[in-house]
Structures are given as C-alpha cells and as structure tokens.
C-alpha cells in the first residue's frame, strides 16, 4: 500500500525463511474447528436454511434468489456443489467454514508478519484462531467465516500491492456477503493514495452493484426482523473499541493504520447506519476481529515483563469456558434437529402439523423424512413451488377449515414469552386450536415448543 507514512515491509527472503512460523495458526484454527464440530448433533435454524436451500436443484435455487436471500446466493451455490460431491450431513455443512477459518488465521499471521515481524505474526494468528466468536462461526454452516477469510487475504494482497488479486478476492468476499464492502473504507486509511487501490476499489464497487441492486429490493423481507441496535450491541462495540485503542498504544504506526480501521470502522459504520435502517448483526462484520488480533499480536510481540502474559492467561480462562459452551447445542437460539426428533417421537401417521409462526416450518424442512410423514394443513405452496424459504400458507378461512377437519395436530411453536405474530393467519391458528382442540402434551425443546392437540376427549 502507498500511504503518507512508511509501513514496515520485511524483505521477501525473510518472509520465506520464517514460513513455518506462519503456518502454526492454521492447524490450530483447524483443530479448534474440528473439536466438537457436530455440537451434539444440533443444527440451528439459519444452518437449516443453508441445508434445505443448497439441496434444491440449480433451477430452483436461481428462482429463489430472484425473490429472496440473494445476498447469500454465492454461498448457497458453493454449498450446493459441496453437497453434490459429498452429502455428509453436519460435517459437509460446516467443514467449509472450518477450512476458511484456518486460512483466515494464516492470513492474519501473514499480514502481521509484513507489518511487525515473525513474533507478531505467530501471536496474531493464534489470537485470531482462539477468539471465541471466530470459533463459533468456524463451526457454522453460514458464509461468515468465508467472508472473513476473503477480507483478511485481500488485506494481505493490498500490503503487497497486488491490486488485481486484491480486487478479485475482496469482490469474492462481497459476493459472499455484501457487507464485506465495508472493508474498503477501512483499507482506505492506509491505501487511499495508491492509484492501484483506487482503481481496485472502484472495480469492486461497480461489480458489486448488481447484487446490491437485487438485495436492496429484498431488504425489507431479508432484514425486516431486525430492530435498531440495543445497548448490548453498543456495549460490545465499546469493549472492542476500548481493547483496540489500548492495544494500539505503543504499536507501530503501520500496524495501527491497517488494523485499527479494520477493527472499528466496519462495525461502527453498520451500527450508525442501523439507527436509520436496522441492518446490524455482529456476525455480518466478523472479519473486524482480524484487526483486533493484529493489534494484539503487534503489542504482545514487543511486551516486556510478565504482566502482559499474566493478563493473557487470565483472559484465556473465560475464553476457554466460552469455547467449551460453544460446542454445546445450547449455544445457539434453537435446534431444528432436536425439534424434528421431538416431532418424530410424538407424531402418528396422518397427523396434521402446523407452525406458529409459519417461518418455523424451517425446523422440519431440514428433516424431510419427518416432514414427509405429516400433513402440513396450512401449506398452500411449498418452498420450492413458491420460490420462498418456508413456503406460503392458505388464506385464513381455508386454513381454519383445514385445521378443524384434522383430528390430531402437532404444533411447533416459539418458546414461551416470545412476542406473538399479529398477522391474521397466525391469529386464526391460535384461536382455532384453542377453540376446537384440547392440548394433550407440551414438550420443551431447544428454542422451541412442540404441542400435541386432539379433539376434546380424544387425548390418550
């Protein structure tokens, strides 16, 4: 990168000489990703979406993306290819994220080495690998680990002034999730004077426009569930900012100009925008943690005495406990496979099934063997036929009649205390079940409730 102040660049011969050190973080990240990869055989709702969409034929996938979820289109296409090669269940679903996290850890080490030397490279790469949020998304069948990998390696290519490669890799990250484009203003802090960077940035923006145009039309449907950032979001950002500013004290100026904007600008911009358009979710800018790891590596590489390492050891204790918890089913909002297993235990052939709200149909779409044995009485058009994620439902009157005609109903519902959807169809479901059926049983699952309803006096 060209910048107003010199950034330390180590000779190529030195880089090749210490290449083995740069490889340490990748195996560590891979081992952490493989540890407890199945999370007790659980899969939460977003991963269920990946599973069922990636299993659609290419024609159906293309039709879906024209209506919703275009922002994840390239990732779904990638996972479609993975499942064609090996339909290996949870391992096939999550291994791409494990591999991407390992590559990202190696990339963080490579960036740190160019800026601060081999000791900083090792520490930064290891720091990135052990961060609990990084470990979380290393074991998730979604695109965020892949996006982080692309942003990290784009940063490395920018340092080497490989502008064509920079544009290609960052564009790949943006097409995996368009909020990767927020890395561009972060990179501008160190590279804005380089004509090559300006041309590459312009190319990324122009080639991202088709996706941005399509996803903007889908924004209300895609992100309508989000609210404005809460105090927890601002508090988390404050902790990140405080840690980064503390680590930046005494760090080399070149490291600060690259790492500090990368850590703070993408989440900060997205938080600010979300005051008007609620678009913020921390995982959308997971790659910002690479900036934190770079600052940690550079600062600890020059630390003197034992107290910095004592602090690191103290922080590793809660991080280790957090990491263990992340390998459990309880670490996610729900578990589609657990909900499907509970339905399998309680359902009888020919039972009706209803979802309150309808988007909870996702809990069974990734278990087609369970779903196929039930009558989805509210369904009008299937997800594939309607070019949607969870299908479309009957009008309220027909839905009510279909429920009343069912002697036994399995209802999948949100946990108690969740706000009830105000839509007419959802109200009809609740009212019909309450007026025409007895509730025979209620089972709590992870993030879900499964109730069995029968006609009055017919519970057994």
């Amino acid at each position: 990168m060209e910048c107003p102040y010199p950034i330390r660049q180590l000779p190529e011969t030195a880089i090749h000489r210490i290449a083995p050190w740069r490889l340490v973080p990748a195996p560590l990240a891979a081992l952490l990703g493989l540890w407890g990869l199945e999370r007790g055989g659980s899969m939460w709702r977003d991963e269920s979406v990946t599973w069922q969409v990636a299993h659609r034929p290419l024609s159906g996938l293309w039709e879906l993306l024209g209506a919703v979820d275009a922002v994840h289109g390239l990732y779904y296409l990638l996972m479609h290819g993975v499942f064609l090669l090996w339909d290996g269940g949870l391992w096939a679903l999550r291994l791409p994220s494990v591999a991407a996290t390992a590559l990202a850890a190696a990339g963080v080490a490579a960036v740190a080495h160019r800026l601060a030397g081999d000791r900083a490279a090792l520490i930064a790469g290891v720091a990135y690998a052990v961060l609990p949020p990084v470990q979380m998304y290393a074991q998730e069948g979604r695109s965020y680990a892949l996006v982080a990998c692309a942003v990290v390696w784009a940063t490395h290519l920018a340092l080497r002034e490989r502008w064509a490669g920079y544009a290609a890799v960052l564009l790949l990250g943006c097409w995996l999730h368009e909020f990767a484009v927020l890395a561009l203003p972060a990179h501008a802090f160190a590279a804005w004077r380089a004509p090559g960077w300006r041309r590459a940035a312009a190319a990324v923006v122009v080639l991202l426009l088709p996706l941005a145009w399509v996803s903007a039309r889908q924004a209300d449907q895609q992100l309508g569930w989000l609210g404005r950032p809460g105090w927890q979001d601002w508090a988390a950002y404050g902790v990140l900012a405080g840690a980064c500013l503390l680590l930046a004290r005494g760090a080399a100026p070149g490291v600060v100009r690259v790492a500090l904007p990368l850590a703070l600008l993408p989440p900060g911009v997205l938080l600010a925008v979300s005051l008007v358009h609620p678009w913020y979710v921390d995982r959308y800018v997971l790659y910002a943690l690479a900036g934190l790891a770079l600052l940690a590596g550079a600062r600890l590489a020059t630390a003197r005495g034992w107290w910095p390492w004592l602090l690191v050891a103290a922080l590793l204790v809660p991080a280790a406990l957090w990491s263990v918890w992340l390998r459990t089913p309880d670490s996610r909002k729900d578990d589609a496979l657990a909900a499907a297993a509970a339905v399998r235990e309680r359902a009888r052939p020919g039972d009706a099934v209803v979802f309150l709200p309808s988007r909870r149909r996702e809990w069974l779409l990734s278990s087609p063997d369970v779903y196929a044995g039930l009558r989805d009485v509210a369904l009008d058009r299937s997800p594939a036929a309607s070019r949607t994620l969870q299908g479309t439902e009957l009008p309220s009157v027909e839905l009510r009649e279909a429920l009343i005609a069912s002697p036994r109903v399995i209802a999948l519902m949100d946990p108690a205390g969740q706000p009830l959807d105000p839509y007419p169809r959802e109200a009809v479901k609740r009212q019909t079940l309450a007026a025409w059926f007895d509730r025979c049983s209620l089972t709590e699952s992870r993030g879900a409730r499964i109730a069995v309803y029968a006609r009055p006096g017919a519970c057994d």
Side-chain angles (χ1 to χ4, degrees):
M1 290 184 183
E2 294 181 19
C3 62
Y5 305 99
I7 292 178
R8 181 185 178 193
Q9 298 276 347
L10 296 184
E12 290 288 338
T13 55
I15 293 173
H16 291 303
R17 189 169 61 248
I18 62 163
W21 290 100
R22 294 166 57 223
L23 294 176
V24 170
L28 175 62
L31 288 173
L32 288 172
L34 295 174
W35 165 39
L37 183 64
E38 293 188 349
R39 288 202 312 271
S42 64
M43 177 170 64
W44 82 291
R45 68 183 73 152
D46 279 16
E47 291 184 298
S48 177
V49 171
T50 297
W51 190 94
Q52 60 106 343
V53 170
H55 277 84
R56 297 189 189 189
L58 282 179
S59 58
L61 179 55
W62 181 256
E63 291 172 348
L64 170 74
L65 299 178
V68 68
D69 245 12
V71 67
H72 297 299
L74 181 59
Y75 176 69
Y76 291 150
L77 182 62
L78 168 67
M79 293 308 299
H80 180 85
V82 169
F83 287 128
L84 280 179
L85 291 173
W86 177 48
D87 201 348
L90 295 176
W91 280 78
L93 178 69
R94 294 171 183 157
L95 275 178
S97 294
V98 175
T101 301
L103 286 172
V108 169
V111 172
H113 181 260
R114 282 206 163 259
L115 297 174
D118 58 339
R119 184 178 172 86
L122 180 60
I123 297 171
V126 168
Y128 183 81
V130 302
L131 283 170
V134 170
Q135 295 184 53
M136 178 176 181
Y137 293 105
Q139 296 190 325
E140 195 149 295
R142 297 298 279 174
S143 65
Y144 310 111
L146 284 72
V147 174
C149 179
V151 171
V152 166
W153 280 103
T155 305
H156 182 254
L157 289 166
L159 287 173
R160 299 183 65 185
E161 300 186 7
R162 303 291 178 86
W163 301 120
Y166 169 82
V169 172
L170 187 56
L171 182 64
L172 174 64
C174 291
W175 273 81
L176 285 167
H177 196 287
E178 59 193 317
F179 286 163
V181 76
L182 294 174
L184 276 178
H187 291 157
F189 275 80
W192 66 275
R193 287 191 174 181
W197 179 82
R198 294 197 294 270
R199 288 191 292 269
V204 169
V205 171
V206 169
L207 293 174
L208 182 59
L209 285 176
L211 176 61
W213 180 74
V214 174
S215 60
R217 296 165 54 204
Q218 302 174 357
D220 288 343
Q221 185 177 0
Q222 188 79 37
L223 300 173
W225 60 276
L226 286 172
R228 288 180 173 80
W231 69 266
Q232 301 95 330
D233 299 309
W234 291 105
Y237 183 70
V239 170
L240 174 67
C244 289
L245 292 172
L246 183 64
L247 291 168
R249 294 182 59 187
V255 176
V256 173
R257 283 193 298 278
V258 172
L260 193 61
L262 183 60
L264 299 185
L265 194 146
V269 168
L270 197 55
L271 279 166
V273 169
S274 296
L275 295 173
V276 180
H277 300 287
W279 293 345
Y280 179 80
V281 181
D282 55 2
R283 59 181 178 267
Y284 294 169
V285 285
L286 176 69
Y287 57 85
L289 293 178
L292 174 63
L294 288 169
L295 289 167
R299 191 71 179 87
L300 289 172
T302 59
R304 297 292 180 265
W306 53 268
W307 70 265
W309 299 104
L310 184 62
L311 178 60
V312 169
L315 290 174
L316 284 175
V317 174
L321 296 174
W322 189 357
S323 298
V324 171
W325 176 73
L326 288 174
R327 272 80 184 172
T328 68
D330 293 334
S331 64
R332 269 53 171 192
K333 290 181 180 179
D334 59 9
D335 183 353
L337 298 183
V343 171
R344 184 185 290 110
E345 291 176 3
R346 289 153 184 79
R348 299 173 183 173
D351 276 354
V353 64
V354 67
F355 304 90
L356 295 93
S358 61
R359 58 185 175 274
R360 298 300 172 247
R361 186 172 282 105
E362 188 57 55
W363 287 334
L364 294 190
L365 291 178
S366 52
S367 297
D369 57 325
V370 177
Y371 185 54
L374 301 168
R375 293 185 302 109
D376 191 345
V377 292
L379 187 67
D380 182 18
R381 301 178 69 201
S382 71
S386 61
R387 303 174 184 178
T388 62
L389 293 175
Q390 285 93 33
T392 57
E393 295 199 336
L394 294 167
S396 297
V397 174
E398 295 178 37
L399 195 160
R400 180 176 180 274
E401 292 173 352
L403 268 177
I404 292 173
S406 303
R408 195 167 184 269
V409 179
I410 309 292
L412 284 80
M413 305 177 291
D414 279 336
Q418 292 293 313
L420 299 175
D421 280 27
Y423 309 119
R425 287 186 183 89
E426 302 301 333
V428 164
K429 294 176 195 175
R430 295 192 296 266
Q431 293 163 4
T432 305
L433 288 173
W436 290 82
F437 294 86
D438 286 343
R439 190 167 73 186
C440 306
S441 67
L442 180 66
T443 303
E444 301 280 346
S445 185
R446 300 183 192 99
R449 292 181 298 162
I450 296 88
V452 177
Y453 288 89
R455 292 293 180 80
C459 288
D460 53 22

